[in-house]
Structures are given as C-alpha cells and as structure tokens.
Amino acid sequence: MLPWKRVFRPLAALLLTAAVAVVPAATARAATAPSSGWNDYSCKPSTTHPRPVVLVHGTLGNSVDNWLALAPYLKHRGYCVFSLDYGQLTGVPVFYGLGPIDKSAEQLSAFVDKVLAATGAAKADLVGHSQGGMMPRYYLRFLGGAAKVNALVGLAPDNHGATLSGLTHLLPYFPGAAYLIKAATPGLADQIPGSAFLTKLNAGGDTVPGVHYTVIATKYDEVATPWRSQYLSGPDVHNVLLQDLCPLDLSEHVAIALFDRIAFHEVANALDPAHARTTTCASAFS
C-alpha cells in the first residue's frame, strides 16, 4: 500500500464514522423487520388522501428503522404508506444509501412505478430524510419522475451538499482522501459540496415544474450544514425552519425524522395543504 493511502485511509474512516454516529442504530434487518402496517400493497388511497406516500430513507438508513415513528403517524391519518431500501453496497447489510446516488434514483423510479401500479394512483407523494430528501430530485429532473410525483417533502435534506459541520472542508488538505471515499462509499462522495453529482443536480435551478416542494430544516443540524443550504429556490417551494414553528424544538439531523412530531405535523400539512393546521409546540401532542 502506498504511504499516502496509509495516512489518509483513517480520514475516510473518520468521515464514515461521523456519519454513522448521527444515524439511529439499526434495530433489525430491513428485509425481515415488521413494518407496522405500511408497505401494504392491498392499500387503496381514499378520496381524502388520494396519493400514496413513499418514504425515502437517509444515508446509512433503511426502509424500516428510519420510519418507525413517521410511517405509523401517517398510516393513522389514513395514508397508504410505502418505503424502500436503496443504495445498497455488496456485503454491507442494514446500512444503505451508500451507492452512487444516480443509481439510487433509478431504484426509486422503479419503486414508485410499483406503488402506483399496486394502488392505482396517478401520482405519489415523496417524503425523504437527508439524502432521501435530495436524491428524489434527480429522479424528478432526469428520470421522468415529475410526471408521477405531486409533492416532495424533505426532512433535513442535503440539497446542496453535507459538510458534516465543516469536516469535509478538510479533504483538500489530505490528498487521496476524497478518492478513497469515492471508491468505498460513492453515495457519501456524491454528497460532498461541489461533487460532480451535485453540480449536475443543481445546474439550471433547484426545482422542476409541476412538483410541490417542502423543506423542513432544523438550525441544530450537524450533518447537512450550513442548515440554510438545505433550502430550495423556485416558484413552488415552501422552506420551513422548525424553530420558527416551535422555538423549544431541539431536534438535530436524526431526531427530525426519527421522532419529532412537530416535524411530522408539518409533513402532514405539506401532504394535505388544503386541510393544513398551524404547527406549534403543541403539535408534539397531536
């Protein structure tokens, strides 16, 4: 092994460890864990909620653990709810979202087609966390998803990259580190600000016509930083800061999707804006 590889491999490991540290520990393999009533392909959308909701997990998440609270929350409110695994690497169980993001978007495309075929709906709504709030934008822009999606709701989405509280800014000082990350975990490399993937994704504007976009951010985010970089620009965009809704909300990057019912309430508003109710600190008990 070349000396520089011996020196810089620990930095790549550090970046991966930092990402793992802010992702909930997997409690079961996604392929076998119960899904508490979601991913029911016999579910038919109601007239009240005519579109199925597809949940898109974040980096190092999976279709079960990322949604143990939000999926039942939406099911209880009458939605047909589905979730997928994407971005798997060979030999890496449970922790997904590590593969090339353009390929992950292809997996999302196939999954949405499957859900629409099963439910008979013309369009779906997407709710994603972290990478799962950003990756669908590739599907919408480059893979024909805009014709099949009504709304995209992002919980702490890294729409313009994730600096891990500035950690990625150190990469230029360690020649070879970026190469190692790209080779081992291309999905992480794609999320580094300035990557070829993000440059392509955001060229020509953040949004595509016909899709309603909502971004729900927290100022305590330690991954998709600076948190304002999560916001989108466009004619049909609603950018929300949790602390503007409830100053007492201390959720960071993981908690916003894992158990924050204030964020969940705002997700429900984005999915059904005609019946939206003001989100406040009291929404934690709704």
Side-chain angles (χ1 to χ4, degrees):
M1 181 183 294
L2 294 176
W4 62 265
K5 287 189 176 181
R6 287 199 300 268
V7 172
F8 301 126
R9 188 178 297 277
L11 179 62
L14 175 63
L15 287 169
L16 183 56
T17 301
V20 172
V22 294
V23 175
T27 58
R29 289 181 182 272
T32 58
S35 56
S36 301
W38 77 92
N39 279 337
D40 175 6
Y41 286 89
S42 67
C43 185
K44 300 299 179 184
S46 65
T47 55
T48 304
H49 300 305
R51 293 176 299 276
V53 177
V54 174
L55 303 177
V56 190
H57 65 75
T59 305
L60 295 166
N62 62 58
S63 63
V64 174
D65 299 312
N66 219 136
W67 308 119
L68 289 171
L70 181 56
Y73 180 96
L74 295 175
K75 281 288 296 182
H76 179 71
R77 283 155 179 76
Y79 288 93
C80 291
V81 181
F82 301 85
S83 61
L84 78 155
D85 292 316
Y86 70 86
Q88 301 92 331
L89 292 181
T90 302
V92 182
V94 180
F95 298 106
Y96 304 140
L98 296 173
I101 298 181
D102 57 347
K103 300 303 181 184
S104 294
E106 293 176 6
Q107 291 179 274
L108 174 62
S109 177
F111 188 80
V112 170
D113 286 348
K114 178 181 178 181
V115 168
L116 294 181
T119 60
K123 290 188 175 183
D125 289 326
L126 307 181
V127 178
H129 174 225
S130 192
Q131 179 189 162
M134 173 270 289
M135 176 269 281
R137 293 177 48 225
Y138 190 95
Y139 162 57
L140 298 177
R141 180 177 293 275
F142 299 109
L143 302 179
K148 303 173 184 179
V149 172
N150 169 71
L152 170 60
V153 184
L155 290 161
D158 55 339
N159 281 312
H160 300 94
T163 70
L164 295 175
S165 297
L167 186 59
T168 61
H169 295 319
L170 299 176
L171 287 173
Y173 299 99
F174 297 91
Y179 169 81
L180 290 173
I181 295 170
K182 180 69 174 178
T185 53
L188 292 182
D190 284 345
Q191 294 176 78
I192 296 174
S195 70
F197 174 83
L198 287 172
T199 299
K200 177 179 179 180
L201 176 66
N202 292 314
D206 291 344
T207 65
V208 296
V211 179
H212 309 293
Y213 295 84
T214 299
V215 172
I216 304 172
T218 170
K219 68 181 181 181
Y220 300 114
D221 202 304
E222 71 279 50
V223 176
T225 51
W227 63 262
R228 288 182 180 83
S229 69
Q230 299 173 26
Y231 282 178
L232 295 172
S233 298
D236 198 351
V237 171
H238 181 45
N239 292 313
V240 181
L241 180 65
L242 270 183
Q243 286 72 34
D244 287 342
L245 306 176
C246 175
L248 301 178
D249 195 317
L250 301 179
S251 289
E252 42 66 68
H253 187 77
V254 173
I256 192 174
L258 197 62
F259 53 74
D260 190 332
R261 291 177 68 92
I262 295 171
F264 295 176
H265 190 273
E266 195 63 13
V267 169
N269 282 345
L271 295 175
D272 187 10
H275 300 95
R277 294 176 293 131
T278 302
T279 300
T280 67
C281 294
S283 300
F285 306 101
S286 64

